[in-house]
């Protein structure tokens, strides 16, 4: 039997301290996005950028992070026609800084995450896998069969 995917796998540290991972919330503005709630705040990946808000329940996305490492591989979508809900699946590996309140340097946020959010169906999963393989083929210059 194929194991059910867990929504959130991996680690995040804030200033070197591990934080507890919580809910993964897919959404969309112009493109699919994802928010990850943690015990220290909210991480948001949108338009190829990471944002951090130390208040997890805040309606705003928070400060744009300055990343010296941001590797990502992801796919997502919006169910239209349908109920308009979103899904997002991917990997984020990052090391970023956010200006500290009071201008006392930076808060360093780092992590390696695998997210599978929005109750992705088998059909959606197959579409994401196909798109990912097409991208990998293009990146490696291999001809499509």
């Amino acid at each position: 039997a194929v194991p059910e995917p867990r929504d959130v796998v991996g680690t995040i540290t804030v200033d070197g301290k591990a934080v507890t991972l919580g809910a993964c919330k897919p959404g969309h503005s112009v493109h699919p996005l994802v928010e990850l709630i943690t015990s220290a705040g909210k991480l948001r990946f949108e338009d190829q950028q990471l944002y951090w808000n130390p208040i997890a329940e805040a309606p705003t996305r928070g400060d744009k992070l300055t990343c010296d490492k941001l590797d990502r591989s992801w796919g997502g979508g919006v169910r239209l026609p349908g109920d308009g809900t979103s899904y997002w699946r991917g990997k984020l590996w990052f090391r970023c800084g956010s200006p500290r309140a009071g201008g006392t340097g930076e808060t360093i946020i780092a992590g390696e995450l695998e997210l599978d959010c929005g109750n992705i169906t088998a059909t959606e999963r197959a579409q994401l896998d196909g798109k990912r393989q097409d991208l990998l083929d293009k990146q490696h210059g291999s001809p499509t069969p």
Side-chain angles (χ1 to χ4, degrees):
V2 175
E4 283 295 309
R6 280 207 39 226
D7 286 358
V8 179
V9 178
T11 59
I12 292 181
T13 59
V14 177
D15 284 337
K17 296 181 190 86
V19 299
T20 304
L21 303 177
C24 176
K25 299 179 177 184
H28 62 92
S29 55
V30 175
H31 303 287
L33 61 90
V34 68
E35 290 184 339
L36 178 63
I37 306 304
T38 77
S39 59
K42 174 173 64 179
L43 183 73
R44 181 174 174 134
F45 179 73
E46 178 180 14
D47 294 330
Q48 310 300 322
Q49 301 285 331
L50 280 175
Y51 299 85
W52 177 255
N53 194 322
I55 303 164
E57 306 80 37
T60 55
R61 67 184 176 191
D63 293 328
K64 182 174 158 185
L65 299 178
T66 304
C67 300
D68 55 26
K69 174 184 175 186
L70 176 54
D71 297 329
R72 61 223 179 262
S73 167
W74 67 276
V78 182
R79 294 178 179 104
L80 295 173
D83 60 8
T85 58
S86 300
Y87 56 94
W88 196 98
R89 180 185 70 178
K91 297 178 182 184
L92 297 170
W93 301 272
F94 55 91
R95 180 178 161 75
C96 308
S98 176
R100 224 179 239 135
T104 56
E106 282 191 320
T107 297
I108 302 298
I109 301 160
E112 290 187 11
L113 298 169
E114 290 188 39
L115 307 174
D116 194 317
C117 315
N119 301 312
I120 299 171
T121 67
T123 302
E124 291 163 347
R125 194 171 300 284
Q127 289 171 342
L128 289 172
D129 289 344
K131 287 178 184 173
R132 184 162 192 266
Q133 190 57 54
D134 290 347
L135 177 64
L136 291 172
D137 289 347
K138 283 182 189 145
Q139 287 174 342
H140 294 104
S142 52
T144 306

